[in-house]
Amino acid sequence: MLLAMEQGSAVEVWTGGDDGLTQRFAVLFQAEAADIQITDVHHRIQAVIEQIVSKGSGKVRIVVNFERDGKHIGASRCTTTEDNLAGCVVRAGAAAERLTANVR
């Protein structure tokens, strides 16, 4: 089930999982993406945060897929520990900012 968050911004954030860790990452990512400015609504993108999965040894795999007008335009992938989500949030935020500026 996909859950939308904050649809009025440059980045619409959706989650592909309703577990606590995915939702926690989504809230952090939305805060990171909230400052992204766009000058044209055609620059708006959708970020779909896949359900975060355990990779063993305390590591988790985070995948954020980016779309514009229903077409895949990029992804951010990161492996980290549950208590260090911030690095993956920053990485996904940088990808979102780059993709909102790069319109073809």
Side-chain angles (χ1 to χ4, degrees):
M1 173 180 222
L2 294 175
L3 303 172
M5 297 177 62
E6 197 65 39
Q7 293 185 354
S9 67
V11 181
E12 293 180 16
V13 179
W14 296 76
T15 60
D18 61 357
D19 63 285
L21 187 58
T22 301
Q23 293 301 312
R24 192 170 88 204
F25 181 85
V27 168
L28 294 170
F29 175 71
Q30 181 59 45
E32 179 77 15
D35 293 334
I36 297 174
Q37 301 294 315
I38 57 171
T39 57
D40 187 330
V41 294
H42 294 99
H43 292 212
R44 184 172 291 140
I45 63 173
Q46 296 77 42
V48 180
I49 301 167
E50 303 296 331
Q51 183 162 351
I52 297 175
V53 295
S54 174
K55 297 294 286 178
S57 301
K59 301 273 185 172
V60 294
R61 175 81 169 166
I62 300 168
V63 178
V64 181
N65 288 303
F66 297 99
E67 300 177 354
R68 180 181 290 114
D69 299 325
K71 295 179 184 173
H72 180 81
I73 58 170
S76 175
R77 294 174 181 84
C78 187
T79 301
T80 190
T81 58
E82 285 187 33
D83 60 346
N84 193 24
L85 296 178
C88 292
V89 168
V90 170
R91 176 184 280 181
E97 188 165 17
R98 185 176 59 254
L99 292 167
T100 56
N102 186 19
V103 178
R104 296 177 195 173

